[in-house]
Amino acid sequence: MTLPKLTIVLVYSQLLVSQLDADDNIVDQFDYMIVPDDAADLAQGRYPESAPASRELLGHVVGDVVETTVRGESVRLRVQSIQNTAHFGEYVE
């Protein structure tokens, strides 16, 4: 599978995401992997695709900012990096 030059957020994407304040300053950074609901493990940074933040992040590219909810809190998240891997762990170029 060949991805477009601008890699987009997909299910199984490994993301580095920044939480932003109102002035676009980074207040937190964390790893975020979108997985099918039955593979979710929040302690491992694997978030279900049905979660509000996951649904908002899908289809975005590095640099995009989304407004969403994480653990019941309204947040602004910026996609810092995306690494897309196939389901069995091999890197997809």
Side-chain angles (χ1 to χ4, degrees):
M1 176 177 160
T2 303
L3 295 175
K5 283 192 179 250
L6 288 175
T7 303
I8 62 172
V9 177
L10 305 167
V11 174
Y12 289 109
S13 292
Q14 179 64 50
L15 310 175
L16 177 62
V17 177
S18 295
Q19 182 177 341
L20 306 175
D21 65 14
D23 297 319
D24 286 339
N25 297 310
I26 296 172
V27 295
D28 192 16
Q29 276 193 323
F30 52 95
D31 293 321
Y32 194 107
M33 178 181 263
I34 299 172
V35 298
D37 290 356
D38 63 349
D41 183 348
L42 301 183
Q44 297 289 322
R46 296 178 179 189
Y47 295 85
E49 62 184 315
S50 65
S54 297
R55 289 193 316 263
E56 285 294 326
L57 289 165
L58 286 169
H60 284 275
V61 299
V62 171
D64 283 356
V65 175
V66 300
E67 295 186 21
T68 188
T69 304
V70 174
R71 298 183 187 109
E73 178 184 344
S74 294
V75 296
R76 295 177 66 238
L77 302 175
R78 178 187 297 135
V79 179
Q80 297 295 114
S81 69
I82 303 169
Q83 182 178 9
N84 284 321
T85 56
H87 179 66
F88 296 107
E90 65 269 14
Y91 183 72
V92 178
E93 294 186 41

